[in-house]
Structure formats: structure tokens, C-alpha cells
Amino acid sequence: MYRFHHNIVDTQLFRQLQDLSTVLSGVSDLTFTYRFGSYIDILDREVTASRMWDKAKFEYRVAGLKTDVYLRTIGTLSYTDVRAVQQYVQALHRFSLPKFGRNLFALLEDIRLEEQIKQERPGTKNVFLQRKAYLKHQFDKDRAAHVTRGLALDELFCLIYLRLQSDVAEPGFPRASEEQLVQLKRLAANLYEVFEAKSTSDIARICEQMLHVLSETSHYDMIHDYFVLPIRHVHTSAKNTLFDELTRTDPLENDDKEELDEDKNEYIDETFSTWHRENENSDRKQTFLQFELEVGTKTNMKGNGARETEDGDQAMGTIQGAAGQTKNKDYSDLESLDKQENKQGQRAENVYGEENKDAVKLLKQADAPTKSEVALYEAYVKDVEPYKRKLENILKKTIEHKQNAPRTNIMAGRLSRKLLPIVLDEKPRIFYKKNEKSKEFDAVFTLLIDCSASMQGKMEETKRGVTLFHEVLKAFQIPHSIIGFWEDAMEVKEHYQPNYFHVIHAFTDSFYERNGPKIMQLEPQEDNRDGFSIRVATEELAVRREKNKFLLVFSDGEPAAANYNQNGIVDTNLAVMEARKQGIEVIGTFLADGEIGELEDHFMQNIYGRERILVPNVAELPEHFAPLMKKLLLKAL
């Protein structure tokens, strides 16, 4: 999870909503995101869920977000008349209550779409009931507040919702203002027409009638927004439904026609068949040569001659169809060449994730350490010496125990030549293990350090933990890299997001005695694009030959970079999952400067799952980090 304007977003739920949006809409490139209000954005090709649900309890939040997606991807996409919405938006200019008019239309259209969706998909009834229960409670609470503040139309809007969604014929509204109860009664006849509305045009007509009534007595528009119009940039649509709009194919860019001399061209109306009866496919409707043309020339070429398909047709690269079973090779499962090329191009373009398509990797090598850096490093080495010594003792004893463990007369291994125990013993030990000379730790480590500006005040203590990391691994000759990462916010431009990787230690020089002081060169910089950085580190670890691969990440908060605030945490979580699928163990360490709250714990859990460490005070980092190093190194033995 991560905070966005002090709210939490569940990454697993986010991905579920993204999948729902894609599957239910049938539009593969329609993305899901959170916004103020639920709508479909035609230009950005987004479906959104409202942040109104952020404060609800978990079960109501899930129901609210899912129903937002249902209303947009099942309802608005297919059953909202775009032309009717365009006409209604134009009609709003004639009234003095545009905000009330937009909220009213969105509410009534959602009620109509909800009934359509429940009929089409009965399994959605339960989540819509939860949505209704939460909104009734919220509108009733807001209504009381609006009465106190004297917000007339805001109170009336709440009354309209409560009246429409009431389970009784004549609901009572205690402490409601008399004036708004009178207004509600005047609108009652129009309100109940909503349940008989069959189209978006019917809803628009009802709203306009109600606005006519209210314009006579209300001179001030409502203050709060509860809903937004279900279609954003509706004026750009040229189709009657959003599905048609989002899946439409543009006509040819050029409108020229081929000029032919009719005298020089002959058309012979005669059929030339090339098939044999064993492969007759008269019961199949086959179509080859299907293309979507955007640029071309219109011709008057004609032809009504056809031939049955042949075995060889299926082997054609970009022209696919169905052929009868033959003795030849079956190419039906092969993708067409152009699709293969497209997929390869997409993989190359978005190798670091869709959110990082404009991110650029820039390497920065550490300088030779100065005398002051050497002195400071030696002081840090003395500080972490007790933790290092304790770790070394534990690991050395474990190695000695492993070396001294019996290698013969064991229950599993290589079969011994002495087989007499099979007859004499109830549980014969007739196996042995061959002594092998190999390095004890078959492991490799990468430590990523967040060098964002928020690390100011924490970096010096963080260096102590990094020093412990380096000294322990160096003592056991375990290859490791130490890298600080940040994004240069001052240099960000359109389609260019420079991300620096400050290489303190590479795998090739991690054992050098004099390289430790380079750790002192880590400094707070700008932003942090964690998902991109984890993928870059994963690339380097994936090609290593060691059996055990570990990626440790030091960070003090959620990712924050250019165009990365909304989906940064989701992208980081995906990067972690991708690394783990490649056999790399990823552990996140959260560095706080005080007590760790529930939000921070949820934030780390939703990125790294159970593999996380929370350090309340960064000065205690070595104390918390040492047990982790012990656990990982024992695992690598």
C-alpha cells in the first residue's frame, strides 16, 4: 500500500481492479486508476474509481471500487448514449445550476445502469447492496451537516439520493429543513420516472425537467461534488457508444481513387476453382487476406471468383485461416510474423515496466576515497565491530559443524560397498557422501540504497548499516554490490527521466581492502523511482551463476518521481514479484525516524510482503540488520 494525499492504496486490489477493467471492457489497453470520481477518459483511455471509498471500511471499500468499475466498464461503455450526454452537457449552459445538474445526471444514470448490470450479471447484486448501504449512511450523515451549514442544494441532493434508495414508501427525514422537504415533494413525480427510464436520453430529459423546477426557486448552486459525469472529454467522441469509440478504426488518411482506363481492363465473370473433394470445406466460413488499412488507394477492381483453401495456405506468414488436417506440418499454433515482431518490440520498449518507459539508466562510478572518508569509515567499522564479530563467530561455528559432520553410515547419499547392515540392522545406514572442495557460501548480494531527498538526516546512520553489510560479506569473500539510486528531478523532461545509479561497489571489486570508504560518498539527492531501480538491479543479479541471490533495499518511504506518484507503489510491487520469479530473494528495509505507524507497516507489507524489516530509529539499523544477515548467510551455506 502507499499513501496518496494521506490515503492508502492496496496494490493487490489495484491489480485486481485493473484486470476487471480490461476483461469486462474488452478493450485491452484500457488502464485503471484512482481519481476524484468514477468515469471513463476517452483521450487517456482510462477507467477510474472514486477516492470517495478511501475512508470506508475494507469490505465497503472493495465493494465500492468494484461497483465503480462495473458501472463504467459494463454500463457506461456499452449502454450510455454518448450523443445524449453531449446534448445534455450543452443543455446545462441554459441553467444556473450546472454543478447540481452534473451530479444529478451522474447519480440517475448510475441507478439506471446498475439495474441493467444486475439483470445481465446477477452475481454483482451483493456488492451493489454493500455500495447502497454505505452511500445511504454517508448521505444521511452529510445531509445533517448541510442543514447545519445552510447548504440548501447540497441538502436537497442528499435527500434525493435517500428518497430514491429508501426501502420504504415514505421515508422520514428528521431535522431536515422544511424548504428542502417541499422541494423534494415537488420533484417526486420526476424522480420516480428514473425506475422506468430505458435510455440515457430518458435520464437527460428527467434531469432537465427537475432543473427547470429548481431554477425558479434556487439561486445558488450546490457546493460539494459527489459524482462526476461518467465520460470525460465526451465532446471528442464521434460514436454513439464508448465501446465503439474506443475500438473504432479510423478511415484511410488519403481519399484518392485509382484512375483506370475501362477500355484496357477486362473483367471476366468466370469461376476458377482449385480444390479437390477430399478437402472440401463448404461448411466453413473462412476468410483470408484480412487487413485493417489506414493508408491506401481506393480502386474499382472487381472479382467474384473464389477457390477453396489449400493445405499450404496456413503456412503463409501474415495471412492466417483454418485448413483441413493434412500430412504436412501444422502451422496453426504459430503466431504471425508481424505479431511476433510487435511483441518483441513491446518487450524491448517496456523492459523496465510501463511506468518507466521514459526512464533512462545513468551510471555514476564512485571516486577514490579521500582521507576524511577513510577516517570516517574506520570509525564506523569500530562501531559495528561487535555485530560483525558476533556474526563471524556464528557463521564459523556453523561451517566447522558442517565440515566435521559424519560423511559415512548415513541414511541418504552414495551407496556404500558395505551392505551387511541391510541384513543386520532394522534401519541400515549404507550410504556415504563424497567430500567436495567448494566455497562454503554460494551466494551473491546487491544492496540498493534510496538516495532521495527524504533521506536527509538519515543517511549517516544508514552508512553504518551499509558498512556492516560490506565488512561481513568481505570477511567471507562473498561477492556483492552496493548501489545508491535516485532520479534527477531537475533534469526531467518530456520522455526523459534520468535515473542515476551510484556504484559504490561492483561485484568485481567488492573484496578490495581500500574500497570500503567509498560508502561514505552516499548522499541524499532528488526523487526515487524504486520499481525501475529494482528491475535494473535484478538484471545484473539474474545473470550471476551463484545459487543464492539476494537483493536488499534500504528506503525511508514510498516511491516519488515524475509521473510516478499514482502508480509508483504498484510498479515497485510488480518489480519485486518479477525478481522473485527469477529466484532472487528481495527484502525491503524501512528506515524511520521515530515510531512506525500502521500506515508504514502496510506500505512495506504491500510492496515486499513478509520479507520486510521495519527500523523505528535509523540509529538502530545495525542492531536490526545483523539478524537478517545471519539468516540469509545461514541459508546460503
Side-chain angles (χ1 to χ4, degrees), residues 292-524:
E292 292 182 357
L293 295 179
E294 295 181 355
V295 179
T297 299
K298 299 176 183 178
T299 74
N300 60 357
M301 294 177 64
K302 300 178 181 180
N304 62 355
R307 67 177 180 84
E308 298 281 341
T309 56
E310 295 179 351
D311 301 340
D313 290 337
Q314 194 66 34
M316 299 181 69
T318 62
I319 306 170
Q320 293 189 345
Q325 186 175 359
T326 73
K327 296 180 294 183
N328 298 334
K329 293 183 179 180
D330 181 13
Y331 296 93
S332 59
D333 292 334
L334 290 182
E335 292 182 299
S336 59
L337 298 179
D338 59 336
K339 290 184 179 179
Q340 293 176 12
E341 291 174 358
N342 288 340
K343 286 190 175 182
Q344 291 172 358
Q346 289 173 359
R347 283 196 295 268
E349 181 181 357
N350 301 326
V351 66
Y352 297 114
E354 180 64 27
E355 299 297 328
N356 308 303
K357 59 185 177 182
D358 297 324
V360 178
K361 177 175 68 174
L362 300 173
L363 296 180
K364 175 181 172 154
Q365 300 297 330
D367 299 325
T370 63
K371 290 183 179 180
S372 60
E373 289 171 348
V374 172
L376 185 57
Y377 180 74
E378 290 175 352
Y380 284 173
V381 170
K382 291 181 181 178
D383 290 342
V384 301
E385 183 65 28
Y387 303 105
K388 176 189 172 186
R389 192 184 309 116
K390 185 177 180 180
L391 270 174
E392 285 182 341
N393 291 336
I394 292 173
L395 294 171
K396 285 178 180 177
K397 289 179 180 179
T398 303
I399 293 172
E400 290 174 3
H401 175 74
K402 182 180 177 182
Q403 291 174 341
N404 296 330
R407 310 292 292 178
T408 60
N409 298 326
I410 54 180
M411 297 294 293
R414 294 170 176 261
L415 182 64
S416 172
R417 293 182 179 180
K418 299 177 181 180
L419 302 178
L420 187 60
I422 296 177
V423 180
L424 302 178
D425 299 338
E426 182 179 353
K427 295 181 178 180
R429 296 175 177 269
I430 56 173
F431 298 95
Y432 72 97
K433 286 187 177 180
K434 184 179 179 180
N435 290 321
E436 297 179 358
K437 291 185 179 181
S438 63
K439 58 182 181 180
E440 298 295 343
F441 293 99
D442 188 11
V444 62
F445 286 77
T446 290
L447 176 58
L448 281 178
I449 301 102
D450 174 7
C451 290
S452 62
S454 59
M455 286 290 287
Q456 189 73 39
K458 302 177 185 177
M459 187 58 79
E460 292 307 313
E461 295 297 338
T462 300
K463 292 175 185 177
R464 296 180 193 273
V466 179
T467 299
L468 173 64
F469 171 85
H470 173 63
E471 286 294 316
V472 171
L473 296 183
K474 185 180 71 171
F476 290 97
Q477 296 290 292
I478 300 174
H480 57 281
S481 65
I482 301 174
I483 302 171
F485 67 93
W486 73 90
E487 179 173 287
D488 191 343
M490 301 300 293
E491 295 296 325
V492 168
K493 302 174 184 177
E494 187 177 4
H495 305 307
Y496 177 71
Q497 297 160 346
N499 279 257
Y500 285 89
F501 294 86
H502 192 180
V503 182
I504 302 299
H505 286 301
F507 296 121
T508 54
D509 66 0
S510 53
F511 304 144
Y512 295 171
E513 292 291 336
R514 296 183 181 179
N515 278 351
K518 291 181 179 179
I519 295 171
M520 302 301 107
Q521 296 176 20
L522 291 168
E523 295 295 338

Side-chain angles (χ1 to χ4, degrees), residues 483-622:
I483 302 171
F485 67 93
W486 73 90
E487 179 173 287
D488 191 343
M490 301 300 293
E491 295 296 325
V492 168
K493 302 174 184 177
E494 187 177 4
H495 305 307
Y496 177 71
Q497 297 160 346
N499 279 257
Y500 285 89
F501 294 86
H502 192 180
V503 182
I504 302 299
H505 286 301
F507 296 121
T508 54
D509 66 0
S510 53
F511 304 144
Y512 295 171
E513 292 291 336
R514 296 183 181 179
N515 278 351
K518 291 181 179 179
I519 295 171
M520 302 301 107
Q521 296 176 20
L522 291 168
E523 295 295 338
Q525 302 289 341
E526 296 286 345
D527 293 341
N528 55 309
R529 188 176 292 271
D530 293 30
F532 178 69
S533 303
I534 288 174
R535 288 185 176 94
V536 170
T538 297
E539 267 189 335
E540 297 183 356
L541 280 172
V543 298
R544 298 287 301 184
R545 295 184 178 181
E546 287 80 2
K547 180 180 179 181
N548 301 282
K549 302 174 184 180
F550 303 100
L551 173 57
L552 313 181
V553 184
F554 282 1
S555 180
D556 72 330
E558 63 266 30
N563 300 321
Y564 202 60
N565 293 332
Q566 177 76 7
N567 297 325
I569 197 67
V570 179
D571 179 66
T572 305
N573 175 251
L574 289 174
V576 171
M577 293 174 62
E578 292 164 7
R580 288 172 177 166
K581 287 179 181 178
Q582 298 185 57
I584 299 171
E585 190 163 342
V586 186
I587 301 99
T589 301
F590 181 77
L591 308 177
D593 52 4
E595 184 178 353
I596 296 177
E598 185 179 357
L599 292 180
E600 286 79 8
D601 187 23
H602 285 166
F603 155 70
M604 290 297 290
Q605 181 181 8
N606 226 30
I607 293 182
Y608 299 101
R610 299 173 63 181
E611 287 73 29
R612 68 188 190 281
I613 299 177
L614 305 177
V615 182
N617 191 327
V618 71
E620 303 170 359
L621 178 57

